[in-house]
Amino acid sequence: MTDALWILLLALLVAAALAVVRRRLPVLSWWLVGYPAVTLRVLATYRATMDACGLTVPASAMRRATARMVGRQAAPVPPCRSLPLPTGSGLVMRLRMAAGQAPEDFNASADRLRHAWGAHAVHVRPTKPGRLELRLVGWDVLADVLPPRRRLRTEPLTLPLALREDGHWHVRDFRTVPHELILGATQSGKSVYLRNLLCGLARQPVALVGIDCKWGVELAPFAPRLSALADTPDRANDLFDVLVDEMEARFRLIGMRGGAGSDAVLTSDVWGLPEKVRPVPVVVVVDEVAELFLAASKDDEKRRDAMVTKLIRLAQLGRAAGIYLEVCGQRFGAELGKGATMLRAQLTGRVCHRVNDETSANMALGDIAPEAALAATRIPAERPGVAVVGDSSGGWSRVRSPHLTLEDAAAVCRDTSGLIPELPRLDTFRPVVAQPSAAPAAQPAARPVTG
């Protein structure tokens, strides 16, 4: 009896230890317990699960004839698969679809596969015609997102900003998706996403331009790294004029280089220019776009329409000139005037955090995929930082940014202030950074009078 008690106590201790490891160290728990258990379940039930989900096809004529010869019935054939290979957050199998099957069939059955194999999620990704990748995620990777322990290999102007629900990192590539719209309500995590973006760009030779019409309170902590900052609508209007002039000057440079001679390399954007004459990229961050375009009078409406027109010009032509837009706000709609729809069409990258109304979600993602807008409206308030990322191709995914405090982000901008490039046109708008004052000398403590 004593031995039985000891065995029971040991089993309870092991179960408690595994529960703690699963909660605190999910990666270790997955490698120790999750991957072996799920792999055995997949291998043992693969054919039956595929048949139950309707993902099998009838056996070929030769198989049916062979089965009749031995007095058996030919079973339906599931897709050919590879061995389940482990990943950092689950496992992956590569499937070869049978004739007549499509990736949509597997997407429709992803939830049933998840329950059958005991995974947290199942994601389907076509790799090439007739083949797809089936990725099982072992736990909720968005529950606690940490920065990548090793720096991901990225090209200039590409940044890993958020972890996707399939375990991959969402990488913001400005040269592929030049302009982006970021929406989110207060305390939704929009500011954290923006901090990660600014800190990533601050470490690269990029000119950062901030437009924050809430008197600069959102972007002021990053002022040491900003090449320009506008904190009022009037000043923002003047800054847009300067950016349009800079864009036109870059197009003149591209035209001059293209007509320099018969041996000149023809190019239609700044990235085709020689590196020694190539202008530095400019990223314009417009924070709280609704505040920028508020209009209380006819004059304000004229200024708003003029600024929207300039923004649309920058969005339409800025990519070739190396000028990129990040437009942020709590909502994006009719307050921008008649140019709102045209501007949104140019902002092909979309990031939608939790929003206060369904209209904002539809404005951000409705033209990409209606199901993406629906997913954005279901983001719970207790999970700040979770967002839905989409692009003009129609693809979308849930992501979550690693938490980055304002103090840490401001420290990065102070440490990288020496990387501010020379752009004379923006010197007038360079923010004034207050230098930290020296600590006052300690005064000797007064001694009490005795005697």
Side-chain angles (χ1 to χ4, degrees), residues 85-121:
L85 300 178
T87 63
S89 58
L91 60 85
V92 61
M93 289 190 303
R94 291 172 177 84
L95 306 183
R96 187 177 67 191
M97 293 180 289
Q101 290 183 328
E104 290 75 13
D105 302 330
F106 293 83
N107 278 317
S109 300
D111 200 47
R112 284 179 283 178
L113 295 175
R114 174 177 73 89
H115 287 289
W117 290 332
H120 175 76

Side-chain angles (χ1 to χ4, degrees), residues 39-58:
T39 300
L40 290 175
R41 192 179 300 122
V42 169
L43 295 176
T45 65
Y46 177 75
R47 180 183 293 270
T49 301
M50 287 293 173
D51 190 20
C53 293
L55 298 175
T56 56
V57 295

Side-chain angles (χ1 to χ4, degrees), residues 113-428:
L113 295 175
R114 174 177 73 89
H115 287 289
W117 290 332
H120 175 76
V122 173
H123 299 278
V124 179
R125 184 177 69 89
T127 54
K128 57 183 179 180
R131 298 179 183 270
L132 55 83
E133 183 180 88
L134 201 66
R135 181 175 294 270
L136 278 68
V137 180
W139 71 94
D140 186 5
V141 296
L142 301 185
D144 186 18
V145 179
L146 299 175
R149 295 186 177 181
R150 57 182 179 86
R151 187 172 296 276
L152 302 178
R153 295 183 60 185
T154 55
E155 300 295 329
L157 284 176
T158 59
L159 307 169
L161 294 180
L163 184 65
R164 295 201 320 235
E165 59 183 346
D166 61 359
H168 288 294
W169 281 87
H170 164 63
V171 178
R172 174 78 169 95
D173 186 353
F174 284 86
R175 295 184 62 178
T176 302
V177 182
H179 313 303
E180 187 173 62
L181 174 63
I182 307 171
L183 293 184
T186 304
Q187 301 295 323
S188 66
K190 173 172 58 69
S191 298
V192 175
Y193 182 90
L194 190 58
R195 290 172 201 164
N196 282 279
L197 175 73
L198 289 172
C199 287
L201 291 173
R203 300 184 179 97
Q204 301 187 17
V206 176
L208 296 177
V209 175
I211 297 175
D212 179 11
C213 290
K214 293 198 303 184
W215 296 276
V217 295
E218 293 287 344
L219 299 181
F222 316 111
R225 183 58 180 83
L226 297 181
S227 297
L229 177 62
D231 54 5
T232 63
D234 290 331
R235 193 165 173 81
N237 192 24
D238 296 337
L239 181 54
F240 281 137
D241 288 330
V242 173
L243 291 173
V244 171
D245 293 341
E246 176 70 20
M247 181 180 67
E248 293 174 351
R250 295 185 176 199
F251 276 115
R252 286 194 292 271
L253 175 63
I254 295 171
M256 290 169 54
R257 298 295 300 188
S262 58
D263 58 345
V265 178
L266 298 180
T267 181
S268 60
D269 58 37
V270 295
W271 297 104
L273 296 175
E275 189 173 355
K276 61 181 179 180
V277 299
R278 183 189 305 159
V280 296
V282 178
V283 178
V284 183
V285 179
V286 182
D287 191 67
E288 294 300 345
V289 64
E291 292 287 336
L292 177 64
F293 296 114
L294 286 178
S297 63
K298 291 293 184 180
D299 292 337
D300 291 343
E301 291 179 1
K302 292 180 180 179
R303 181 190 61 198
R304 178 195 64 190
D305 294 340
M307 285 193 292
V308 171
T309 302
K310 296 167 190 174
L311 259 180
I312 292 174
R313 287 195 65 193
L314 290 172
Q316 287 179 332
L317 305 174
R319 175 179 182 174
I323 299 176
Y324 309 102
L325 297 179
E326 290 287 326
V327 179
C328 314
Q330 295 189 27
R331 57 172 288 108
F332 187 93
E335 66 274 1
L336 268 70
K338 55 187 178 182
T341 304
M342 185 180 297
L343 176 60
R344 184 189 67 162
Q346 303 297 325
L347 306 175
T348 51
R350 310 288 174 80
V351 180
C352 185
H353 295 77
R354 177 180 55 83
V355 289
N356 293 324
D357 58 308
E358 187 177 351
T359 303
S360 297
N362 289 328
M363 196 69 177
L365 302 167
D367 59 332
I368 292 178
E371 60 272 18
L374 182 61
T377 60
R378 295 178 176 176
I379 297 175
E382 60 271 12
R383 300 197 73 176
V386 175
V388 175
V389 172
D391 55 46
S392 57
S393 66
W396 63 277
S397 177
R398 293 180 185 86
V399 301
R400 194 176 194 183
S401 302
H403 183 66
L404 180 63
T405 65
L406 182 60
E407 291 77 9
D408 292 341
V412 171
C413 290
R414 287 194 300 268
D415 295 340
T416 58
S417 59
L419 297 178
I420 297 180
E422 292 293 333
L423 283 177
R425 285 186 175 87
L426 300 179
D427 288 344
T428 307

